[in-house]
Amino acid sequence: ADGAGHVWDSYIEMIQPYATRVPVMVGVGNHEYGALYFKTKDRSGGECGVPISKRFSGSGNGNGIFWYSYDYGLVHTVVISSEHNVTVGSEQFSWLVKD
């Protein structure tokens, strides 16, 4: 939502009709957390992950909304964050290996 809370609210209103009937899980990306692309612009608009982490939650087995996994029926889904370190030895990588 690039730093605009009202855009988040509009999005939630938009997904509400189906989100009340089926699971909706989200992941953090460059517009929610604030990666610096080409070291020139913060794409999050200064959000730093606050709006998404206050409006949604993960499954509780990872690092909140940033990385987590869940099972739905016969499917195991893993959500990882493109905005956190996922190289060998990082916290996210270690969690992923254990998952």
Side-chain angles (χ1 to χ4, degrees):
D2 292 336
H6 70 280
V7 176
W8 279 102
D9 296 339
S10 295
Y11 172 71
I12 290 172
E13 288 176 19
M14 182 180 67
I15 67 169
Q16 188 174 12
Y18 67 87
T20 58
R21 289 180 266 150
V22 298
V24 174
M25 304 299 280
V26 298
V28 173
N30 64 308
H31 287 263
E32 291 79 34
Y33 197 66
L36 296 176
Y37 283 87
F38 307 110
K39 300 182 181 181
T40 59
K41 185 177 182 200
D42 177 351
R43 297 293 303 267
S44 76
E47 289 183 351
C48 299
V50 173
I52 194 170
S53 65
K54 297 297 182 187
R55 288 172 169 84
F56 297 96
S57 62
S59 65
N61 69 349
N63 183 12
I65 193 69
F66 301 112
W67 60 86
Y68 60 92
S69 66
Y70 63 94
D71 296 316
Y72 187 71
L74 298 175
V75 177
H76 180 72
T77 301
V78 176
V79 177
I80 61 173
S81 170
S82 62
E83 301 306 293
H84 291 82
N85 187 355
V86 72
T87 59
V88 174
S90 69
E91 182 181 0
Q92 185 174 200
F93 181 87
S94 298
W95 172 84
L96 182 59
V97 169
K98 290 177 186 174
D99 187 64

Coordinates of all heavy atoms in Angstrom, one line a residue:
A1 N 0.8 -1.2 0.0 CA 0.0 0.0 0.0 C 0.9 1.3 0.0 O 0.3 2.4 0.1 CB -0.9 0.0 1.2
D2 N 2.2 1.1 0.0 CA 3.1 2.2 -0.2 C 2.9 3.3 0.9 O 2.9 4.5 0.6 CB 3.1 2.8 -1.6 CG 3.6 1.8 -2.6 OD1 4.5 0.9 -2.2 OD2 3.3 1.9 -3.8
G3 N 2.7 2.9 2.1 CA 2.6 3.9 3.2 C 1.2 4.5 3.5 O 1.1 5.4 4.3
A4 N 0.2 4.0 2.8 CA -1.1 4.6 3.0 C -2.1 3.6 3.6 O -2.5 2.6 3.0 CB -1.7 5.0 1.6
G5 N -2.4 3.9 4.9 CA -3.3 3.0 5.7 C -4.6 2.8 5.1 O -5.2 1.7 5.1
H6 N -5.2 3.8 4.5 CA -6.5 3.7 3.9 C -6.5 2.7 2.7 O -7.6 2.1 2.4 CB -7.0 5.1 3.4 CG -6.3 5.7 2.2 ND1 -5.1 6.3 2.3 CD2 -6.7 5.7 0.9 CE1 -4.7 6.7 1.1 NE2 -5.7 6.3 0.2
V7 N -5.4 2.6 2.0 CA -5.3 1.6 0.9 C -5.4 0.2 1.5 O -6.1 -0.7 1.0 CB -4.0 1.8 0.1 CG1 -3.9 0.7 -1.0 CG2 -4.0 3.2 -0.5
W8 N -4.7 -0.1 2.7 CA -4.9 -1.3 3.3 C -6.3 -1.6 3.7 O -6.8 -2.7 3.5 CB -4.0 -1.4 4.6 CG -2.6 -1.6 4.4 CD1 -1.5 -0.7 4.3 CD2 -2.0 -2.9 4.1 NE1 -0.4 -1.4 4.0 CE2 -0.6 -2.7 3.9 CE3 -2.5 -4.2 4.0 CZ2 0.3 -3.8 3.6 CZ3 -1.6 -5.2 3.7 CH2 -0.3 -5.0 3.6
D9 N -7.0 -0.6 4.2 CA -8.4 -0.8 4.6 C -9.3 -1.1 3.4 O -10.1 -2.0 3.5 CB -8.9 0.5 5.3 CG -8.2 0.7 6.7 OD1 -7.6 -0.2 7.2 OD2 -8.2 1.9 7.1
S10 N -9.0 -0.5 2.3 CA -9.8 -0.7 1.1 C -9.5 -2.2 0.6 O -10.4 -2.9 0.2 CB -9.4 0.2 0.0 OG -9.8 1.5 0.3
Y11 N -8.3 -2.6 0.7 CA -7.9 -4.0 0.3 C -8.7 -5.0 1.2 O -9.3 -6.0 0.6 CB -6.4 -4.2 0.4 CG -6.0 -5.6 0.2 CD1 -6.1 -6.2 -1.1 CD2 -5.6 -6.4 1.3 CE1 -5.7 -7.5 -1.3 CE2 -5.2 -7.7 1.1 CZ -5.3 -8.3 -0.2 OH -4.9 -9.6 -0.4
I12 N -8.7 -4.8 2.5 CA -9.4 -5.7 3.4 C -10.9 -5.7 3.1 O -11.5 -6.8 3.1 CB -9.0 -5.4 4.8 CG1 -7.6 -5.7 5.1 CG2 -9.9 -6.1 5.8 CD1 -7.0 -5.3 6.4
E13 N -11.4 -4.6 2.8 CA -12.9 -4.5 2.4 C -13.1 -5.3 1.1 O -14.1 -6.0 1.0 CB -13.3 -3.1 2.3 CG -13.5 -2.4 3.6 CD -13.8 -0.9 3.5 OE1 -14.3 -0.5 2.4 OE2 -13.6 -0.1 4.4
M14 N -12.2 -5.2 0.2 CA -12.3 -5.9 -1.1 C -12.3 -7.4 -1.0 O -13.0 -8.1 -1.6 CB -11.2 -5.4 -2.0 CG -11.3 -6.0 -3.4 SD -10.0 -5.4 -4.5 CE -8.5 -6.2 -3.7
I15 N -11.4 -7.9 -0.1 CA -11.3 -9.4 0.0 C -12.2 -10.0 1.0 O -12.4 -11.2 1.1 CB -9.8 -9.8 0.4 CG1 -9.4 -9.3 1.8 CG2 -8.8 -9.3 -0.7 CD1 -8.1 -9.9 2.3
Q16 N -12.9 -9.1 1.8 CA -13.8 -9.7 2.8 C -14.8 -10.7 2.4 O -15.0 -11.7 3.0 CB -14.5 -8.5 3.6 CG -15.2 -8.9 4.8 CD -15.8 -7.8 5.6 OE1 -15.8 -6.7 5.1 NE2 -16.3 -8.1 6.8
P17 N -15.5 -10.5 1.2 CA -16.5 -11.5 0.8 C -16.0 -12.9 0.7 O -16.7 -13.8 1.0 CB -17.0 -10.9 -0.5 CG -16.8 -9.5 -0.5 CD -15.5 -9.3 0.3
Y18 N -14.8 -13.1 0.2 CA -14.3 -14.4 0.1 C -13.4 -14.8 1.2 O -13.2 -16.0 1.6 CB -13.6 -14.7 -1.3 CG -12.3 -13.9 -1.5 CD1 -11.1 -14.4 -1.1 CD2 -12.3 -12.7 -2.2 CE1 -9.9 -13.8 -1.3 CE2 -11.1 -12.0 -2.5 CZ -9.9 -12.6 -2.0 OH -8.7 -11.9 -2.3
A19 N -12.8 -13.8 1.9 CA -11.9 -14.2 3.0 C -12.7 -14.7 4.2 O -12.1 -15.3 5.1 CB -11.1 -12.9 3.5
T20 N -14.0 -14.5 4.2 CA -14.8 -15.0 5.3 C -15.2 -16.5 5.0 O -15.7 -17.2 5.9 CB -16.1 -14.2 5.5 OG1 -16.8 -14.2 4.3 CG2 -15.8 -12.8 6.0
R21 N -14.9 -17.0 3.8 CA -15.2 -18.3 3.4 C -14.1 -19.2 3.2 O -14.2 -20.5 3.2 CB -16.1 -18.3 2.2 CG -17.5 -17.8 2.5 CD -18.4 -17.7 1.2 NE -18.2 -16.4 0.7 CZ -18.3 -16.1 -0.6 NH1 -18.5 -17.0 -1.5 NH2 -18.1 -14.8 -1.0
V22 N -12.9 -18.7 2.8 CA -11.7 -19.5 2.5 C -10.5 -18.9 3.2 O -10.5 -17.7 3.5 CB -11.4 -19.6 1.0 CG1 -12.6 -20.3 0.3 CG2 -11.2 -18.2 0.4
P23 N -9.5 -19.7 3.6 CA -8.3 -19.1 4.2 C -7.6 -18.2 3.3 O -7.5 -18.4 2.1 CB -7.5 -20.4 4.5 CG -8.4 -21.5 4.3 CD -9.5 -21.1 3.4
V24 N -7.2 -17.1 3.9 CA -6.3 -16.1 3.2 C -5.1 -15.9 4.0 O -5.1 -15.5 5.1 CB -7.1 -14.7 3.0 CG1 -6.1 -13.7 2.4 CG2 -8.3 -14.9 2.2
M25 N -4.0 -16.3 3.4 CA -2.7 -16.1 4.1 C -1.8 -15.2 3.2 O -1.9 -15.2 2.0 CB -2.0 -17.5 4.2 CG -2.8 -18.5 5.0 SD -3.2 -18.0 6.7 CE -1.7 -18.4 7.5
V26 N -1.1 -14.3 3.8 CA -0.3 -13.3 3.1 C 1.2 -13.5 3.4 O 1.6 -14.2 4.3 CB -0.8 -11.9 3.5 CG1 -2.2 -11.7 3.1 CG2 -0.5 -11.6 4.9
G27 N 2.0 -12.9 2.5 CA 3.4 -12.9 2.7 C 3.9 -11.5 2.5 O 3.3 -10.6 1.8
V28 N 5.1 -11.2 3.1 CA 5.7 -9.9 3.1 C 6.6 -9.7 1.8 O 7.3 -10.6 1.5 CB 6.5 -9.6 4.3 CG1 7.3 -8.3 4.3 CG2 5.6 -9.6 5.5
G29 N 6.4 -8.6 1.2 CA 7.3 -8.4 0.0 C 7.8 -7.0 0.0 O 7.8 -6.3 1.0
N30 N 8.3 -6.5 -1.1 CA 9.1 -5.3 -1.2 C 8.2 -4.0 -0.9 O 8.7 -3.0 -0.4 CB 9.7 -5.1 -2.5 CG 8.8 -5.0 -3.6 OD1 7.9 -5.9 -3.8 ND2 8.9 -4.0 -4.5
H31 N 6.9 -4.1 -1.1 CA 6.0 -3.0 -0.8 C 5.6 -2.9 0.7 O 5.1 -1.9 1.1 CB 4.8 -2.9 -1.7 CG 5.2 -2.6 -3.1 ND1 5.0 -1.3 -3.6 CD2 5.7 -3.3 -4.1 CE1 5.4 -1.3 -4.9 NE2 5.8 -2.5 -5.2
E32 N 5.7 -4.0 1.4 CA 5.3 -4.0 2.8 C 6.4 -3.8 3.8 O 6.1 -3.3 4.9 CB 4.6 -5.4 3.1 CG 3.3 -5.6 2.5 CD 3.5 -6.1 1.0 OE1 4.5 -6.8 0.7 OE2 2.7 -5.7 0.2
Y33 N 7.6 -4.1 3.4 CA 8.7 -4.0 4.4 C 9.7 -2.9 4.2 O 10.3 -2.4 5.2 CB 9.4 -5.4 4.5 CG 10.2 -5.5 5.8 CD1 9.5 -5.5 7.0 CD2 11.5 -5.6 5.8 CE1 10.3 -5.6 8.2 CE2 12.3 -5.7 6.9 CZ 11.6 -5.7 8.1 OH 12.3 -5.8 9.3
G34 N 10.0 -2.6 3.0 CA 10.9 -1.4 2.8 C 12.2 -1.7 2.3 O 13.2 -1.1 2.8
A35 N 12.4 -2.6 1.4 CA 13.7 -2.9 0.8 C 14.1 -1.7 0.0 O 13.2 -1.0 -0.6 CB 13.6 -4.1 -0.1
L36 N 15.3 -1.4 -0.1 CA 15.8 -0.3 -0.9 C 16.3 -0.9 -2.3 O 17.2 -1.7 -2.3 CB 17.0 0.4 -0.2 CG 16.6 1.1 1.1 CD1 17.9 1.7 1.7 CD2 15.6 2.2 0.8
Y37 N 15.5 -0.5 -3.3 CA 15.9 -1.0 -4.6 C 16.9 -0.1 -5.3 O 16.6 1.1 -5.4 CB 14.6 -1.1 -5.5 CG 13.9 -2.4 -5.1 CD1 13.0 -2.4 -4.1 CD2 14.2 -3.6 -5.7 CE1 12.3 -3.5 -3.7 CE2 13.6 -4.8 -5.3 CZ 12.6 -4.7 -4.3 OH 12.0 -5.9 -3.9
F38 N 17.9 -0.6 -5.7 CA 19.0 0.1 -6.3 C 19.5 1.3 -5.4 O 20.0 2.3 -5.9 CB 18.6 0.7 -7.7 CG 18.1 -0.4 -8.6 CD1 16.7 -0.5 -8.9 CD2 18.9 -1.4 -9.1 CE1 16.2 -1.5 -9.7 CE2 18.4 -2.4 -9.9 CZ 17.1 -2.5 -10.2
K39 N 19.2 1.1 -4.1 CA 19.7 2.1 -3.1 C 19.1 3.5 -3.4 O 19.7 4.5 -3.1 CB 21.2 2.2 -3.0 CG 21.7 0.8 -2.6 CD 23.2 0.9 -2.4 CE 23.7 -0.5 -2.0 NZ 25.1 -0.6 -1.8
T40 N 17.9 3.6 -4.0 CA 17.4 4.9 -4.3 C 16.0 5.2 -3.7 O 15.7 6.3 -3.4 CB 17.3 5.1 -5.9 OG1 16.4 4.1 -6.4 CG2 18.6 5.0 -6.5
K41 N 15.2 4.1 -3.6 CA 13.8 4.4 -3.1 C 13.3 3.3 -2.2 O 13.4 2.1 -2.5 CB 12.9 4.5 -4.3 CG 11.5 5.0 -3.9 CD 10.6 5.2 -5.1 CE 9.2 5.6 -4.6 NZ 8.2 5.4 -5.5
D42 N 12.7 3.7 -1.1 CA 12.1 2.8 -0.2 C 10.7 2.5 -0.7 O 9.8 3.4 -0.7 CB 12.0 3.4 1.2 CG 11.3 2.6 2.2 OD1 10.7 1.6 1.8 OD2 11.4 2.9 3.4
R43 N 10.5 1.3 -1.2 CA 9.2 1.0 -1.9 C 8.0 0.8 -0.9 O 6.9 0.8 -1.3 CB 9.3 -0.3 -2.7 CG 10.3 -0.2 -3.8 CD 9.8 0.8 -4.9 NE 8.6 0.4 -5.5 CZ 8.3 -0.3 -6.5 NH1 9.3 -0.8 -7.2 NH2 7.1 -0.6 -6.9
S44 N 8.3 0.8 0.4 CA 7.2 0.6 1.4 C 6.5 1.9 1.8 O 5.5 1.9 2.5 CB 7.8 0.0 2.7 OG 8.5 0.9 3.5
G45 N 7.1 3.0 1.4 CA 6.5 4.3 1.8 C 6.7 4.5 3.3 O 5.9 5.3 3.9
G46 N 7.7 3.9 3.9 CA 7.9 4.0 5.3 C 7.1 3.1 6.2 O 7.1 3.2 7.4
E47 N 6.4 2.1 5.6 CA 5.6 1.2 6.4 C 6.4 0.3 7.3 O 6.0 0.0 8.4 CB 4.7 0.4 5.5 CG 3.6 1.1 4.9 CD 2.7 0.3 4.0 OE1 3.0 -0.9 3.8 OE2 1.6 0.8 3.6
C48 N 7.5 -0.2 6.8 CA 8.4 -1.1 7.5 C 7.7 -2.3 8.1 O 8.1 -2.8 9.1 CB 9.1 -0.3 8.6 SG 10.2 1.0 8.0
G49 N 6.7 -2.8 7.4 CA 6.0 -4.0 7.8 C 5.0 -3.9 8.9 O 4.3 -4.8 9.3
V50 N 4.8 -2.7 9.4 CA 3.8 -2.5 10.5 C 2.4 -2.7 10.1 O 1.7 -3.5 10.7 CB 4.0 -1.1 11.1 CG1 2.9 -0.8 12.2 CG2 5.4 -0.9 11.8
P51 N 1.9 -2.1 9.0 CA 0.4 -2.4 8.7 C 0.1 -3.8 8.4 O -0.9 -4.3 8.9 CB 0.2 -1.5 7.4 CG 1.2 -0.4 7.5 CD 2.4 -1.1 8.1
I52 N 1.0 -4.5 7.7 CA 0.6 -5.9 7.4 C 0.7 -6.8 8.6 O -0.1 -7.7 8.8 CB 1.5 -6.5 6.2 CG1 0.9 -7.8 5.7 CG2 3.0 -6.6 6.6 CD1 1.6 -8.3 4.5
S53 N 1.7 -6.5 9.5 CA 1.9 -7.3 10.7 C 0.8 -7.0 11.7 O 0.5 -7.9 12.6 CB 3.2 -7.1 11.3 OG 3.4 -5.8 11.8
K54 N 0.1 -5.9 11.7 CA -1.0 -5.6 12.6 C -2.3 -6.0 12.0 O -3.3 -6.2 12.8 CB -1.0 -4.0 12.8 CG 0.2 -3.5 13.5 CD 0.4 -4.1 14.9 CE 1.6 -3.5 15.6 NZ 1.9 -4.2 16.8
R55 N -2.4 -6.2 10.7 CA -3.7 -6.6 10.1 C -3.8 -8.1 9.9 O -4.9 -8.7 9.7 CB -3.9 -5.9 8.8 CG -4.3 -4.4 9.0 CD -4.3 -3.7 7.7 NE -4.8 -2.3 7.8 CZ -4.1 -1.3 8.2 NH1 -2.9 -1.4 8.5 NH2 -4.7 -0.1 8.3
F56 N -2.7 -8.8 9.8 CA -2.6 -10.2 9.5 C -1.7 -10.9 10.5 O -0.9 -10.3 11.1 CB -2.1 -10.5 8.1 CG -3.0 -9.9 7.0 CD1 -2.8 -8.7 6.4 CD2 -4.1 -10.6 6.6 CE1 -3.6 -8.2 5.4 CE2 -5.0 -10.1 5.6 CZ -4.7 -8.9 5.0
S57 N -1.8 -12.2 10.5 CA -0.8 -13.0 11.3 C -0.5 -14.3 10.6 O -1.2 -14.7 9.7 CB -1.5 -13.4 12.7 OG -2.6 -14.2 12.5
G58 N 0.7 -14.8 10.9 CA 1.1 -16.1 10.4 C 0.5 -17.2 11.1 O -0.5 -17.0 11.9
S59 N 1.0 -18.4 10.9 CA 0.4 -19.6 11.6 C 1.0 -19.8 13.0 O 0.5 -20.6 13.7 CB 0.7 -20.8 10.8 OG 2.2 -21.0 10.7
G60 N 2.0 -19.0 13.4 CA 2.6 -19.1 14.7 C 3.8 -20.0 14.8 O 4.4 -20.2 15.9
N61 N 4.2 -20.6 13.7 CA 5.4 -21.5 13.8 C 6.7 -20.9 13.2 O 7.6 -21.6 13.1 CB 5.0 -22.8 13.1 CG 4.9 -22.7 11.6 OD1 4.9 -21.6 11.1 ND2 4.8 -23.8 10.9
G62 N 6.7 -19.7 12.8 CA 7.9 -19.1 12.2 C 8.2 -17.8 12.9 O 8.3 -17.7 14.1
N63 N 8.3 -16.7 12.1 CA 8.5 -15.4 12.6 C 7.4 -14.5 12.3 O 7.5 -13.6 11.4 CB 9.8 -14.8 12.0 CG 10.2 -13.5 12.5 OD1 9.7 -13.0 13.5 ND2 11.2 -12.8 11.9
G64 N 6.3 -14.7 12.9 CA 5.1 -13.9 12.7 C 4.6 -13.9 11.3 O 4.5 -15.0 10.7
I65 N 4.4 -12.8 10.7 CA 3.9 -12.7 9.3 C 5.0 -12.8 8.3 O 4.8 -13.0 7.1 CB 3.2 -11.3 9.1 CG1 2.4 -11.3 7.8 CG2 4.1 -10.1 9.2 CD1 1.2 -12.2 7.9
F66 N 6.2 -12.7 8.8 CA 7.4 -12.7 7.8 C 7.7 -14.1 7.2 O 7.9 -14.1 6.0 CB 8.6 -12.1 8.5 CG 8.3 -10.7 9.0 CD1 8.2 -10.4 10.4 CD2 8.0 -9.7 8.1 CE1 8.0 -9.1 10.8 CE2 7.7 -8.4 8.5 CZ 7.7 -8.1 9.9
W67 N 7.8 -15.1 8.0 CA 7.9 -16.5 7.4 C 7.2 -17.5 8.4 O 7.2 -17.4 9.6 CB 9.3 -16.9 7.2 CG 10.3 -16.9 8.3 CD1 10.5 -17.9 9.2 CD2 11.2 -15.9 8.7 NE1 11.5 -17.6 10.1 CE2 12.0 -16.4 9.8 CE3 11.5 -14.6 8.2 CZ2 12.9 -15.6 10.4 CZ3 12.5 -13.9 8.8 CH2 13.2 -14.4 9.9
Y68 N 6.5 -18.4 7.7 CA 5.7 -19.4 8.4 C 5.3 -20.5 7.5 O 5.5 -20.3 6.3 CB 4.5 -18.7 9.1 CG 3.5 -18.1 8.2 CD1 2.5 -18.8 7.6 CD2 3.7 -16.7 7.8 CE1 1.6 -18.1 6.7 CE2 2.9 -16.1 6.9 CZ 1.8 -16.8 6.4 OH 0.9 -16.2 5.5
S69 N 4.7 -21.5 8.0 CA 4.2 -22.6 7.1 C 2.8 -23.0 7.7 O 2.5 -22.8 8.9 CB 5.1 -23.7 7.0 OG 5.3 -24.4 8.2
Y70 N 2.1 -23.7 6.9 CA 0.8 -24.2 7.3 C 0.4 -25.4 6.4 O 0.8 -25.5 5.3 CB -0.3 -23.2 7.4 CG -0.6 -22.5 6.1 CD1 -1.7 -23.0 5.3 CD2 0.1 -21.5 5.6 CE1 -2.0 -22.4 4.1 CE2 -0.2 -20.9 4.4 CZ -1.3 -21.3 3.7 OH -1.6 -20.8 2.5
D71 N -0.5 -26.2 7.0 CA -1.1 -27.3 6.2 C -2.5 -27.0 6.0 O -3.2 -26.6 6.9 CB -0.9 -28.7 6.9 CG 0.5 -29.1 7.1 OD1 1.3 -28.9 6.1 OD2 0.9 -29.5 8.2
Y72 N -3.0 -27.2 4.8 CA -4.4 -27.1 4.4 C -4.7 -28.3 3.6 O -4.3 -28.4 2.4 CB -4.7 -25.8 3.7 CG -6.1 -25.5 3.5 CD1 -6.9 -25.2 4.5 CD2 -6.7 -25.6 2.2 CE1 -8.3 -24.9 4.4 CE2 -8.0 -25.3 2.0 CZ -8.8 -25.0 3.1 OH -10.2 -24.8 2.9
G73 N -5.5 -29.2 4.1 CA -5.8 -30.5 3.4 C -4.5 -31.2 3.3 O -3.7 -31.4 4.2
L74 N -4.2 -31.7 2.1 CA -3.0 -32.4 1.8 C -1.8 -31.5 1.4 O -0.7 -32.0 1.0 CB -3.2 -33.5 0.7 CG -4.3 -34.5 1.1 CD1 -4.5 -35.4 -0.1 CD2 -3.8 -35.3 2.3
V75 N -2.0 -30.2 1.4 CA -1.0 -29.3 0.9 C -0.2 -28.6 2.1 O -0.8 -28.1 3.0 CB -1.6 -28.2 0.0 CG1 -0.5 -27.2 -0.4 CG2 -2.3 -28.8 -1.2
H76 N 1.1 -28.7 2.0 CA 2.0 -27.9 3.0 C 2.5 -26.7 2.3 O 3.2 -26.8 1.2 CB 3.1 -28.8 3.5 CG 4.0 -28.1 4.4 ND1 3.6 -27.9 5.7 CD2 5.3 -27.6 4.3 CE1 4.6 -27.3 6.4 NE2 5.6 -27.1 5.5
T77 N 2.2 -25.5 2.8 CA 2.6 -24.3 2.2 C 3.6 -23.6 3.1 O 3.4 -23.5 4.3 CB 1.4 -23.3 2.0 OG1 0.4 -24.0 1.2 CG2 1.8 -22.0 1.4
V78 N 4.7 -23.1 2.4 CA 5.7 -22.4 3.1 C 5.7 -20.9 2.6 O 5.7 -20.7 1.4 CB 7.1 -23.0 2.9 CG1 8.2 -22.2 3.6 CG2 7.1 -24.4 3.5
V79 N 5.7 -20.0 3.5 CA 5.8 -18.6 3.2 C 7.1 -18.0 3.7 O 7.4 -18.2 4.9 CB 4.6 -17.8 3.8 CG1 4.7 -16.3 3.5 CG2 3.3 -18.3 3.3
I80 N 7.9 -17.5 2.8 CA 9.2 -16.9 3.2 C 9.2 -15.4 2.8 O 8.4 -14.9 2.0 CB 10.4 -17.6 2.6 CG1 10.4 -17.5 1.1 CG2 10.5 -19.0 3.1 CD1 11.6 -18.1 0.4
S81 N 10.0 -14.6 3.5 CA 10.1 -13.2 3.3 C 11.2 -12.9 2.3 O 12.4 -13.3 2.5 CB 10.3 -12.5 4.6 OG 10.6 -11.1 4.4
S82 N 10.9 -12.1 1.3 CA 11.9 -11.6 0.4 C 12.7 -10.5 1.0 O 13.7 -10.0 0.4 CB 11.3 -11.2 -0.9 OG 10.4 -10.1 -0.7
E83 N 12.3 -10.0 2.1 CA 12.9 -8.8 2.7 C 13.8 -9.2 3.9 O 14.3 -8.3 4.6 CB 11.8 -7.9 3.2 CG 10.9 -7.4 2.1 CD 11.7 -6.8 0.9 OE1 12.3 -5.8 1.1 OE2 11.7 -7.5 -0.2
H84 N 14.0 -10.5 4.2 CA 14.9 -10.9 5.2 C 15.9 -11.9 4.6 O 15.7 -12.5 3.6 CB 14.1 -11.7 6.3 CG 13.2 -10.8 7.1 ND1 11.9 -10.4 6.6 CD2 13.3 -10.2 8.3 CE1 11.3 -9.6 7.5 NE2 12.2 -9.5 8.5
N85 N 17.0 -11.9 5.3 CA 18.1 -12.8 4.9 C 17.6 -14.3 4.8 O 17.1 -14.8 5.8 CB 19.3 -12.6 5.9 CG 20.5 -13.3 5.5 OD1 20.5 -14.1 4.5 ND2 21.6 -13.2 6.2
V86 N 17.9 -14.9 3.7 CA 17.6 -16.3 3.6 C 18.8 -17.1 3.1 O 18.7 -18.2 2.6 CB 16.3 -16.5 2.7 CG1 16.7 -16.3 1.2 CG2 15.7 -17.9 2.9
T87 N 20.0 -16.6 3.4 CA 21.2 -17.3 3.0 C 21.5 -18.4 4.0 O 21.0 -18.3 5.2 CB 22.4 -16.3 2.9 OG1 22.6 -15.7 4.1 CG2 22.1 -15.3 1.8
V88 N 22.3 -19.3 3.6 CA 22.7 -20.4 4.5 C 23.2 -19.8 5.9 O 24.0 -18.9 5.9 CB 23.8 -21.3 3.9 CG1 24.3 -22.3 4.9 CG2 23.3 -21.9 2.6
G89 N 22.7 -20.3 7.0 CA 23.0 -19.9 8.3 C 22.2 -18.8 8.9 O 22.2 -18.5 10.1
S90 N 21.3 -18.1 8.0 CA 20.4 -17.1 8.5 C 19.3 -17.7 9.3 O 19.0 -18.9 9.2 CB 19.9 -16.3 7.4 OG 19.0 -17.0 6.6
E91 N 18.6 -16.9 10.1 CA 17.5 -17.4 11.0 C 16.4 -17.9 10.1 O 15.9 -19.0 10.4 CB 17.0 -16.2 11.8 CG 15.9 -16.6 12.7 CD 15.3 -15.4 13.5 OE1 15.8 -14.3 13.4 OE2 14.4 -15.6 14.3
Q92 N 16.1 -17.3 9.0 CA 15.0 -17.7 8.1 C 15.4 -19.0 7.4 O 14.6 -20.0 7.3 CB 14.7 -16.7 7.1 CG 13.5 -17.0 6.2 CD 13.1 -15.9 5.3 OE1 11.9 -15.9 4.8 NE2 13.9 -14.9 5.0
F93 N 16.6 -19.1 7.0 CA 17.1 -20.4 6.3 C 17.1 -21.5 7.3 O 16.6 -22.6 6.9 CB 18.5 -20.2 5.8 CG 19.0 -21.4 5.1 CD1 18.8 -21.6 3.7 CD2 19.8 -22.3 5.7 CE1 19.3 -22.7 3.0 CE2 20.3 -23.5 5.1 CZ 20.0 -23.6 3.7
S94 N 17.5 -21.3 8.5 CA 17.6 -22.4 9.5 C 16.1 -22.9 9.8 O 15.9 -24.1 9.9 CB 18.2 -21.9 10.8 OG 19.6 -21.6 10.5
W95 N 15.2 -21.9 9.9 CA 13.8 -22.3 10.2 C 13.3 -23.1 9.0 O 12.6 -24.1 9.2 CB 13.0 -21.0 10.4 CG 11.5 -21.4 10.4 CD1 10.8 -21.8 11.5 CD2 10.6 -21.4 9.3 NE1 9.5 -22.0 11.1 CE2 9.4 -21.8 9.7 CE3 10.8 -21.1 7.9 CZ2 8.3 -21.9 8.9 CZ3 9.7 -21.2 7.1 CH2 8.4 -21.6 7.6
L96 N 13.6 -22.7 7.8 CA 13.1 -23.4 6.6 C 13.6 -24.8 6.5 O 12.9 -25.7 6.2 CB 13.6 -22.6 5.3 CG 13.1 -23.1 4.0 CD1 11.6 -23.2 3.9 CD2 13.7 -22.2 2.9
V97 N 14.9 -25.0 6.8 CA 15.4 -26.4 6.8 C 14.7 -27.2 7.9 O 14.4 -28.4 7.6 CB 17.0 -26.3 7.1 CG1 17.5 -27.7 7.4 CG2 17.7 -25.7 6.0
K98 N 14.4 -26.7 9.0 CA 13.7 -27.5 10.1 C 12.3 -27.7 9.7 O 11.7 -28.8 10.0 CB 13.7 -26.7 11.4 CG 15.1 -26.7 12.0 CD 15.1 -25.9 13.3 CE 16.5 -25.7 13.9 NZ 16.6 -24.8 15.0
D99 N 11.7 -26.8 9.0 CA 10.3 -27.0 8.5 C 10.2 -28.1 7.5 O 9.2 -28.9 7.5 CB 9.7 -25.7 7.9 CG 8.2 -25.8 7.6 OD1 7.5 -26.0 8.6 OD2 7.9 -25.8 6.5

